[in-house]
């Protein structure tokens, strides 16, 4: 129900922006939006899992940067790109596991635990690099972020190559695969059922034999790993590791989940909703950009949309 | 004589300075219904939660079938065939009835996926046994009535292989016909050899269904009697004053 109205909002936005500027609806711009949204989308998958358990993960933006730094350093030290990236994702997962451990075993609230991790991971990323970017990582490092599938280039009459179809960017494919995987786990596997149960009524879940701590640690680890994946995509797109990337990305991810119907009280949310939420934010940014709106105005608009989405949802639930 | 299904010995529970349960021992035999009575805050739920693994005891030990066991978690209790209908019902409000019924013990397909179709049909059968009019199985239980929610909690406890059933005020939210259904259910389970602890404030139900009553007063076991040895007034005196009326003798001996 919420997802339908979010989807309607998305369609409405697209119609509105295309009306204002026909270039908005081009294949190229569509792919640009997909590409721009993929990082927030990846973060939003993990954020949704965590929010459904009744928690929050403020650390994803910093973990993204730390994962990038780990990958960059590994590649600089001679590791092949795929291995370096795997290490980056593993570093993200490890940060998430620490979050889960601190929350369940040390009984620190998710807000505080992940706020701490946000600072620790950012500090580590800056310390390890001396706050300087890591560049010259080789062309392969840029493939994940800049390559695409089904790219069609034909030789024009004048001998110059002409791009018929720019191809589906790898980050978009990655986002689609991981979103589908996340939705599958959430809806079809018992871990997903337990995530909802823990967020809905933690005590009931415990009394029903759900391993509450393990379920939460699982969710935070997944969120950390996805932040790692997002870090790989972002750094690869820049072909440089930037230790100060990803600041405030956690807020976009939370906004995407909330616009998509997730409740910070726990027990409610869906991956599909969060993806729609991520695209609403992406389309707004892109459309407002094309309309020449300043980044400051964009912030204001997105902020209003977040509050409006939750307000409308509450109004409907009260009826 | 075979050992009791379950025996609790010298159970203690403290919350800081509050002594919720004080040196309580009680046993339950196969096919026996033991009523657990007491004023509000007497410690009934605490005692039951200790047996169901929901709460850790401060002292004492538990035997199942004469063998000492450790019950540290709800999973441990279930492994010994102990099922509980909690006073709080313990339902996840955002999940529907089948998801709640099978929570923690989901039915799965060959591939390990949730088998929602089978859980729905099994849940329908289990719920209709208690309330033939049970509809909206797909609704989140937050939207169901108090009685329907209670029926889900009861169905969940008896669906699986139960040997020892703990019912903490199972009929508090039920209408008369559902209450009668639960009374029938208790008789059926009893006939199957299942032992039942029934926590209740309803004297009529207790005398109708129980073989024995155990009364708690301020955390202590103040009386454990065959139901034929006591009258409602005797039990009331135990609940309120913690002692039997002056000059009491087992009613059977007198009669
Ligand atoms: N989690 C807890 N923390 C602190 N004190 C508790 C807790 N649970 C119960 N108590 C205290 O233990 C005592 C016994 O409570 P219990 O719930 O066992 O009573 P009860 O006999 O089930 O009462 P009722 O008939 O109202 O259900 C009460 O004084 C209560 O305040
Ligand atoms: Mg109670």
């Amino acid at each position: 129900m919420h997802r339908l109205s979010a989807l309607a909002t998305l369609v409405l936005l697209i119609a509105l922006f295309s009306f204002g500027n026909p270039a908005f609806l081009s294949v190229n711009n569509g792919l640009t939006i997909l590409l721009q949204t993929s990082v927030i989308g990846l973060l939003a998958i993990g954020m949704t899992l965590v929010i459904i358990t009744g928690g929050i993960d403020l650390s994803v933006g910093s973990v993204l940067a730390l994962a990038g730094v780990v990958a960059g350093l590994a590649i600089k030290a001679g590791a092949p790109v795929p291995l370096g990236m795997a290490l980056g994702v593993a570093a993200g997962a490890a940060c998430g596991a620490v979050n889960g451990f601190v929350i369940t075993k040390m009984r620190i609230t998710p807000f505080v635990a992940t706020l701490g991790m946000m600072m620790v991971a950012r500090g580590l990323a800056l310390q390890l690099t001396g706050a300087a970017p890591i560049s010259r990582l080789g062309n392969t490092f840029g493939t994940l972020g800049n390559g695409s599938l089904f790219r069609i280039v034909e030789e024009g009459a004048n001998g110059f190559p002409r791009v018929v179809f720019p191809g589906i960017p790898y980050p978009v494919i990655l986002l689609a695969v991981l979103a589908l995987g996340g939705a599958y786990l959430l809806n079809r596997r018992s871990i997903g059922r337990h995530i909802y149960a823990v967020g809905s009524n933690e005590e009931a879940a415990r009394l029903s034999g759900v391993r509450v701590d393990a379920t939460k640690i699982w969710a935070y680890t997944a969120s950390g790993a996805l932040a790692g994946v997002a870090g790989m995509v972002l750094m690869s797109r820049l072909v440089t590791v930037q230790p100060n990337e990803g600041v405030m990305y956690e807020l976009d991810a939370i906004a995407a989940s909330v616009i998509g119907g997730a409740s910070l009280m726990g027990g409610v949310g869906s991956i599909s909703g969060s993806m729609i939420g991520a695209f609403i934010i992406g389309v707004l940014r892109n459309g407002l950009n094309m309309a020449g709106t300043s980044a400051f105005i964009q912030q204001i608009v997105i902020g209003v949309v977040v509050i409006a989405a939750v307000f409308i949802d509450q109004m409907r639930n009260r009826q | 004589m075979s050992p009791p299904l379950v025996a609790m010995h010298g159970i203690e529970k403290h919350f800081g300075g509050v002594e919720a349960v004080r040196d309580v021992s009680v046993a339950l035999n196969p096919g026996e219904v033991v009523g657990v009575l007491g004023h509000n805050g007497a410690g009934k739920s605490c005692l039951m939660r200790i047996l169901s693994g929901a709460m850790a005891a401060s002292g004492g030990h538990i035997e199942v079938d004469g063998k000492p066991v450790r019950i540290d978690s709800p999973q441990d209790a279930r492994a010994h065939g102990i099922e509980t209908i909690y006073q709080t019902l313990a339902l996840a409000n955002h999940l529907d009835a089948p998801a709640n019924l099978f929570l923690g013990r989901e039915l799965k397909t060959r591939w390990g996926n949730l088998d929602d179709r089978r859980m729905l049909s099994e849940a329908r059968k289990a719920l209709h046994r208690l309330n033939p009019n049970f509809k909206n199985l797909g609704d989140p239980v937050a939207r169901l009535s108090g009685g329907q929610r209670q029926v889900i909690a009861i169905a969940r406890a008896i669906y699986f292989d139960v040997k020892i059933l703990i019912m903490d005020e199972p009929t508090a939210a039920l209408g008369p016909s559902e209450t009668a259904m639960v009374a029938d259910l208790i008789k059926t389970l009893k006939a199957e050899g299942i032992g039942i602890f029934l926590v209740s404030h309803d004297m009529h139900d207790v005398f109708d269904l129980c073989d024995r009553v155990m009364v708690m007063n301020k955390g202590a076991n103040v009386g454990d009697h065959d139901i034929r040895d006591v009258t409602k007034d005797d039990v009331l005196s135990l609940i309120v004053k913690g002692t039997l009326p002056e000059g009491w003798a087992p009613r059977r001996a007198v009669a």
Side-chain angles (χ1 to χ4, degrees):
Chain A
M1 192 54 224
H2 182 105
R3 258 173 295 173
L4 270 182
S5 62
L7 195 61
T9 309
L10 182 58
V11 170
L12 195 75
L13 279 176
I14 293 174
L16 216 68
F17 284 127
S18 336
F19 186 73
N21 184 348
F24 179 86
L25 210 56
S26 67
V27 173
N28 267 321
N29 193 49
L31 290 174
T32 305
I33 293 175
L34 282 171
L35 193 59
Q36 284 172 345
T37 308
S38 57
V39 170
I40 296 305
L42 287 166
L43 296 178
I45 297 171
M47 189 65 73
T48 304
L49 299 176
V50 166
I51 287 180
I52 296 173
T53 68
I56 192 124
D57 189 349
L58 297 177
S59 69
V60 291
S62 300
V63 169
L64 169 155
L66 179 60
V69 166
V70 168
L73 291 177
I75 293 165
K76 275 289 181 199
V81 169
L83 175 64
M85 290 193 160
L87 286 173
V89 174
C95 290
V98 170
N99 280 335
F101 184 84
V102 171
I103 289 162
T104 56
K105 307 297 177 190
M106 293 169 63
R107 310 210 163 275
I108 309 287
T109 59
F111 190 95
V112 174
T114 60
L115 182 68
M117 177 57 77
M118 171 178 161
M119 296 170 173
V120 169
R122 178 68 63 190
L124 264 174
L126 292 169
Q127 179 66 33
L128 287 171
T129 55
I134 309 174
S135 50
R136 285 198 293 280
L137 288 161
N139 283 337
T140 3
F141 186 71
T143 309
L144 175 65
N146 300 293
S148 54
L149 198 64
F150 305 130
R151 187 179 171 86
I152 304 170
V153 182
E154 70 176 17
E155 190 137 334
N158 51 8
F160 286 111
R162 195 174 67 88
V163 177
V164 178
F165 180 65
I168 306 166
Y170 287 144
V172 175
I173 297 170
L174 196 58
L175 175 65
V177 168
L178 289 177
L180 286 174
Y184 166 72
L185 287 176
L186 208 43
N187 297 319
R188 305 294 322 137
R189 306 294 295 192
S190 45
I191 180 71
R193 182 72 33 100
H194 294 173
I195 283 176
Y196 279 108
V198 166
S200 178
N201 184 343
E202 185 169 331
E203 176 68 356
R206 185 176 76 86
L207 295 177
S208 305
V210 172
R211 290 162 61 223
V212 172
D213 286 0
T215 304
K216 285 189 187 177
I217 292 174
W218 192 96
Y220 284 94
T221 306
S223 178
L226 282 157
V229 173
M232 295 313 114
V233 168
L234 185 61
M235 306 299 178
S236 168
R237 210 161 84 209
L238 306 168
V239 208
T240 312
V241 168
Q242 297 276 7
N244 45 18
E245 268 294 338
V247 175
M248 302 239 283
Y249 277 28
E250 56 279 345
L251 301 186
D252 272 0
I254 295 168
S257 302
V258 168
I259 291 174
S263 159
L264 292 174
M265 309 292 289
V268 184
S270 69
I271 302 285
S272 55
S274 299
M275 290 306 104
I276 295 169
F279 278 104
I280 287 181
I281 295 176
V283 164
L284 268 176
R285 285 245 163 85
N286 179 280
L288 292 172
N289 253 335
M290 290 185 80
T293 318
S294 82
F296 310 138
I297 302 287
Q298 293 176 25
Q299 292 270 51
I300 297 170
V301 172
I302 293 170
V304 171
V305 167
V306 169
I307 294 173
V310 175
F311 179 70
I312 292 167
D313 199 37
Q314 282 178 358
M315 290 298 286
R316 199 174 32 225
N317 284 343
R318 226 170 282 153
Q319 283 165 10
Chain B
M1 204 185 125
S2 61
L5 266 183
V6 61
M8 303 177 80
H9 298 285
I11 301 295
E12 300 269 350
K13 180 70 198 181
H14 315 289
F15 294 103
V18 181
E19 288 186 271
V21 181
R22 290 191 281 179
D23 190 24
V24 172
S25 300
V26 62
L28 181 67
N29 293 300
E32 188 180 36
V33 182
V34 173
V36 178
L37 288 84
H39 55 83
N40 289 123
K44 307 180 295 291
S45 293
C46 286
L47 183 70
M48 294 298 117
R49 287 167 67 85
I50 287 165
L51 181 58
S52 59
M55 188 182 264
S58 313
H61 64 278
I62 299 172
E63 286 170 11
V64 171
D65 289 330
K67 288 184 281 288
V69 294
R70 286 191 64 90
I71 298 179
D72 295 329
S73 69
Q75 289 96 310
D76 289 351
R78 285 176 166 186
H80 290 112
I82 302 171
E83 292 284 342
T84 311
I85 300 157
Y86 293 97
Q87 189 170 14
T88 55
L89 303 185
L91 299 174
N93 274 333
H94 300 90
L95 300 183
D96 60 14
N100 268 291
L101 211 154
F102 289 98
L103 187 57
R105 298 184 274 201
E106 292 81 7
L107 301 180
K108 293 177 193 154
T109 64
R110 207 155 13 119
W111 310 107
N113 290 329
L114 294 175
D115 195 344
D116 280 321
R117 195 170 334 145
R118 201 152 57 90
M119 285 194 266
L120 176 63
S121 69
E122 289 293 304
R124 180 172 290 130
K125 265 188 270 171
L127 294 170
H128 283 185
R129 182 175 167 193
L130 294 161
N131 176 356
N133 305 316
F134 204 112
K135 290 193 191 71
N136 33 34
L137 269 81
D139 283 0
V141 300
R143 267 192 250 147
L144 302 182
S145 74
Q148 286 178 308
R149 293 160 56 82
Q150 199 138 32
V151 164
I152 298 169
I154 296 171
R156 171 168 66 181
I158 59 169
Y159 178 83
F160 299 92
D161 223 2
V162 53
K163 270 170 38 192
I164 299 152
L165 181 61
I166 301 169
M167 307 175 98
D168 198 345
E169 306 195 24
T171 56
L174 296 186
S177 68
E178 285 84 358
T179 304
M181 207 87 75
V182 172
D184 284 344
L185 176 73
I186 291 175
K187 286 171 189 154
T188 311
L189 296 172
K190 176 180 157 72
E192 290 169 13
I194 291 162
I196 299 173
F197 278 121
L198 176 65
V199 180
S200 177
H201 290 288
D202 187 321
M203 207 64 84
H204 176 78
D205 276 355
V206 168
F207 274 78
D208 187 28
L209 299 168
C210 297
D211 302 297
R212 206 146 52 82
V213 284
M214 193 275 265
V215 181
M216 292 182 74
N217 186 295
K218 299 197 185 89
N221 177 350
V222 292
D224 187 337
H225 300 279
D226 192 298
I227 198 79
R228 291 165 297 185
D229 287 340
V230 284
T231 63
K232 288 181 184 170
D233 286 338
D234 297 339
V235 174
L236 215 54
S237 160
L238 278 169
I239 293 172
V240 177
K241 291 192 296 194
T243 56
L244 286 159
E246 233 164 288
W248 175 86
R251 303 288 167 180
R252 264 184 308 182
V254 177

